[in-house]
Amino acid sequence: MALDPGTPATPLEELSGNISVRIVGADDPILPSALAVPHVAFAEPGTRFGHAGAPHLAEAIDARVADGSVKRTIVRIRAGLTAVAAAVEHGSALSAGQHPLRAGVSEIVGVGTLPAARRRGLALAVTAALVADARSRGAATIFLSASDDDVARVYARLGFRKIGTALIAEPAESSQLLQVPMCSALPLRDAVAAPRAVGALVRGAAGADAALSGQ
């Protein structure tokens, strides 16, 4: 899914509670939880309210610290290679995502919400913050991948359009093929920056993995 350069910022509903959404700096104490929460989210995929909450997040934080992900991401943030955004409440990230920027092209990756905190508009707000940050850094092409149609509808609220479908092959023994919906009724030639975006999409799976691990 790609975003037209001229698409205006979408007004968002005010978030409930004491939640704030911000870009997370290298020295922000929120960073470990911002890197951990997508891992918890992707273990329980979808947009429905789930059971994984604070205890699961605490375990994921310890894992991200232990495997060096936090240190690697700090280096990338300071070098201007990666930006992290998070929806924060009571000193912990409930939803977060990232975007790396290369030569005016940004892919929003790893957006995930703690399952027990879903259905509050947090992923939408985090994605909007990442889009705003990417544009402020000069990104002309902004794209992302949606894991299913429900997730795609969330991104469509910000103006993202489907431009193609990525197929991610699993090892032969699993006999599974994941289809990431990105196709559109619009001709591909009408997609914004389609040649560059689609070229990057075929690397989307590896890019998302690398971004989540902070590498």
Side-chain angles (χ1 to χ4, degrees), residues 38-39 42 98-100 107-111 143-146 168 180 182 200-215:
H39 288 267
F42 297 154
Q98 303 182 32
H99 83 85
E107 179 185 11
I108 294 175
V109 297
V111 177
F143 71 100
L144 49 74
S145 301
I168 303 172
V180 182
M182 297 178 188
L201 287 175
V202 299
R203 302 188 299 274
D209 251 0
L212 275 177
S213 65
Q215 296 177 351

Side-chain angles (χ1 to χ4, degrees), residues 19-179:
I19 297 174
S20 62
V21 179
R22 66 175 186 257
I23 297 299
V24 181
D27 299 317
D28 194 323
I30 292 299
L31 183 59
S33 63
L35 298 180
V37 71
H39 288 267
V40 180
F42 297 154
E44 198 172 325
T47 61
R48 294 182 180 180
F49 183 84
H51 299 291
H56 302 82
L57 180 59
E59 293 179 4
I61 291 172
D62 290 341
R64 303 287 78 72
V65 172
D67 69 10
S69 295
V70 175
K71 288 184 177 180
R72 290 192 296 271
T73 303
I74 287 173
V75 172
R76 293 179 59 83
I77 291 174
R78 287 176 174 164
L81 300 175
T82 296
V84 178
V88 181
E89 184 178 47
H90 304 313
S92 181
L94 297 182
S95 181
Q98 303 182 32
H99 83 85
L101 181 64
R102 295 288 187 281
V105 178
S106 179
E107 179 185 11
I108 294 175
V109 297
V111 177
T113 299
L114 194 67
R118 286 175 178 160
R119 314 302 294 180
R120 297 167 66 180
L122 304 185
L124 186 69
V126 165
T127 304
L130 291 169
V131 167
D133 185 75
R135 284 178 163 172
S136 73
R137 295 170 184 247
T141 300
I142 303 174
F143 71 100
L144 49 74
S145 301
S147 58
D148 56 43
D149 288 338
D150 288 337
V151 175
R153 280 190 284 271
V154 173
Y155 294 138
R157 292 174 59 187
L158 294 176
F160 282 91
R161 297 190 298 166
K162 297 179 182 180
I163 62 169
T165 299
L167 302 178
I168 303 172
E170 297 288 346
E173 58 269 19
S174 69
S175 299
Q176 294 180 347
L177 188 66
L178 174 63
Q179 295 191 29

